[in-house]
Amino acid sequence: MSREIVSYITYNKDLLHLYKSQSHRDIIADSLLTDAILIPQKIELAERSESHLIRTSTIHHINIITKNILSYCRGLEMDGLKEKEYLNLLREELKIFRKTYRIWKRSL
């Protein structure tokens, strides 16, 4: 979902090179996309790790990433994004993810 939102809202349609843009919106969109991509990677790392320390730090990192994504949504709104319904959909998905995530992290 984040990839589609970023594709829709950015001025630069080359998603692989958003980090090169001087546009504030593109920079926020790049961060949103990068963090969204990291979540499944971090979940996999926590699942596969035998180390309690690695699992704990990974869980902490996922918490930070989800908070960052919510901050990026606010930043995009402050940048003047008019299509707020897309950001609200992403927020709702994050809310659902965080509920499931809390259950998952207790199982580790």
Side-chain angles (χ1 to χ4, degrees), residues 46-105:
E47 279 287 328
R48 291 179 182 236
S49 178
E50 297 289 329
S51 168
H52 178 70
L53 181 61
I54 291 174
R55 285 194 305 259
T56 303
S57 70
T58 303
I59 286 170
H60 179 68
H61 195 214
I62 293 170
N63 286 333
I64 292 170
I65 290 170
T66 56
K67 288 177 187 175
N68 285 350
I69 292 173
L70 291 173
S71 294
Y72 302 145
C73 289
R74 282 190 298 278
L76 288 168
E77 284 179 336
M78 292 175 72
D79 190 53
L81 182 70
K82 293 181 178 147
E83 297 84 359
K84 293 180 184 180
E85 63 272 5
Y86 297 121
L87 297 178
N88 290 334
L89 284 172
L90 183 57
R91 286 184 180 115
E92 285 300 314
E93 287 298 317
L94 269 174
K95 187 187 292 186
I96 293 167
F97 169 77
R98 290 180 89 173
K99 285 179 185 178
T100 307
Y101 169 73
R102 279 186 227 120
I103 295 168
W104 169 77
K105 74 180 185 180

Side-chain angles (χ1 to χ4, degrees), residues 38-51:
L38 283 175
I39 291 173
Q41 294 172 359
K42 294 295 180 179
I43 290 171
E44 181 182 5
L45 177 63
E47 279 287 328
R48 291 179 182 236
S49 178
E50 297 289 329
S51 168

